């Protein structure tokens, strides 16, 4: 287990119940953990999409959403928002637990 795994688990726990992470997404959540460490609660939907894109290229390099964030339609962009909120929430919880 890496030092990123507890952070990844916290992010996953902060997701709303309606969010449905893809199967086999442990590596994706580790990338989200890196985003949390780099940007904290300043992470954006575009950051989350870029992280997903990096991960998705290794799982399905023909996925239609493997484009720049600003090229996505609004409903597809909205799919990143719960993950952004989960990362922000996890960042605030970590900050408060170490203060």
């Amino acid at each position: 287990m890496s030092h990123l795994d507890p952070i990844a688990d916290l992010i996953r726990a902060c997701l709303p119940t309606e969010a449905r992470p893809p199967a086999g997404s442990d590596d994706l959540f580790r990338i989200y953990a890196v985003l949390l460490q780099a940007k904290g609660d300043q992470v954006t939907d575009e950051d989350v999409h870029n992280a997903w894109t990096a991960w998705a290229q290794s799982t399905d390099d023909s996925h239609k959403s493997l484009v720049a964030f600003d090229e996505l339609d609004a409903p597809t962009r909205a799919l990143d928002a719960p993950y952004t909120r989960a990362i922000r929430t996890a960042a605030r919880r970590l900050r408060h637990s170490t203060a």
Side-chain angles (χ1 to χ4, degrees):
M1 180 184 331
S2 139
H3 68 286
L4 295 174
D5 288 330
I7 299 168
D9 291 344
L10 176 60
I11 294 167
R12 194 182 292 268
C14 291
L15 278 174
T17 55
E18 67 272 7
R20 302 256 191 274
S25 59
D26 290 346
D27 288 341
L28 174 60
F29 278 85
R30 287 184 193 101
I31 297 170
Y32 290 162
V34 171
L35 271 181
L36 182 152
Q37 291 184 318
K39 297 197 76 177
D41 60 6
Q42 299 302 307
V43 71
T44 66
D45 291 347
E46 183 173 7
D47 297 326
V48 167
H49 175 71
N50 288 337
W52 173 86
T53 298
W55 172 80
Q57 283 181 313
S58 67
T59 62
D60 179 6
D61 66 356
S62 65
H63 195 286
K64 65 181 175 95
S65 295
L66 290 175
V67 297
F69 185 74
D70 62 354
E71 295 176 30
L72 297 170
D73 60 26
T76 304
R77 284 184 187 193
L79 296 173
D80 293 313
Y83 297 88
T84 303
R85 286 191 302 272
I87 293 167
R88 289 176 180 169
T89 299
R92 287 190 294 274
R93 287 183 185 178
L94 286 174
R95 187 172 57 241
H96 292 299
S97 72
T98 60

